[in-house]
Amino acid sequence: MKNLTKKIAGFLLMAFALMFAPQEIIASSVSSDVEIIVKDNLIGGWEYTVEGAPEGYEKGFMMIVKQGDMYKAQIQLAGGAVNAENVVVKGNKITFTVNVEGETVSVALEANGSKLSGTSTSPSNGTMKITGVKSISPE
């Protein structure tokens, strides 16, 4: 019976203390706005090569950025820049399409640290291997 009385008294004391504690202390200890920062290997600038690509398309630079919850990618070639469409990111993998000379090219890439690898697939050129190295990091 003594233990039960002590438990009840302790509980009441704790409840009383919380009732009169400053709201800032309670709010800071029970915050629901927790931000977790995870390193994103995809974001940055990538110099890449495409094995077997037509002249002018075998090398380029790709910039991947994140705006809010959306990723955007832009491919910069000797002839100009092309914005990626249908960009989907899952972990360290990115897929998108680009329109090159009226043809839709599907790209699937995976980042592993400062290296990038994957494929591009188009109706006229089939599937080609892509490799890249990160040259601009957001950090």
Side-chain angles (χ1 to χ4, degrees), residues 44-84:
W46 299 87
E47 293 182 38
Y48 69 89
T49 57
V50 184
E51 290 180 21
E55 187 175 331
Y57 297 100
E58 70 274 14
K59 291 184 180 185
F61 180 79
M62 176 175 52
M63 182 62 84
I64 301 173
V65 297
K66 185 175 182 184
Q67 294 177 329
D69 292 337
M70 303 288 294
Y71 284 83
K72 294 184 178 185
Q74 184 180 68
I75 312 303
Q76 297 171 5
L77 303 162
V82 180
N83 290 324

Side-chain angles (χ1 to χ4, degrees), residues 98-121:
V98 288
N99 190 325
V100 180
E101 295 184 15
E103 186 172 84
T104 299
V105 178
S106 298
V107 179
L109 301 168
E110 181 173 0
N112 187 4
S114 63
K115 296 188 188 256
L116 190 71
S117 61
T119 59
S120 69
T121 306

Side-chain angles (χ1 to χ4, degrees), residues 2-3 6 9 16-18 22 28-29 39 41-42 48 53 57 61 81-82 84 100 103 107 110 115 117 128 130 135:
K2 266 187 172 179
N3 285 339
K6 284 183 182 180
F16 182 75
L18 286 174
S28 67
S29 65
K39 185 175 179 183
N41 287 334
L42 288 169
Y48 69 89
Y57 297 100
F61 180 79
V82 180
V100 180
E103 186 172 84
V107 179
E110 181 173 0
K115 296 188 188 256
S117 61
M128 295 176 279
I130 300 174
S135 59

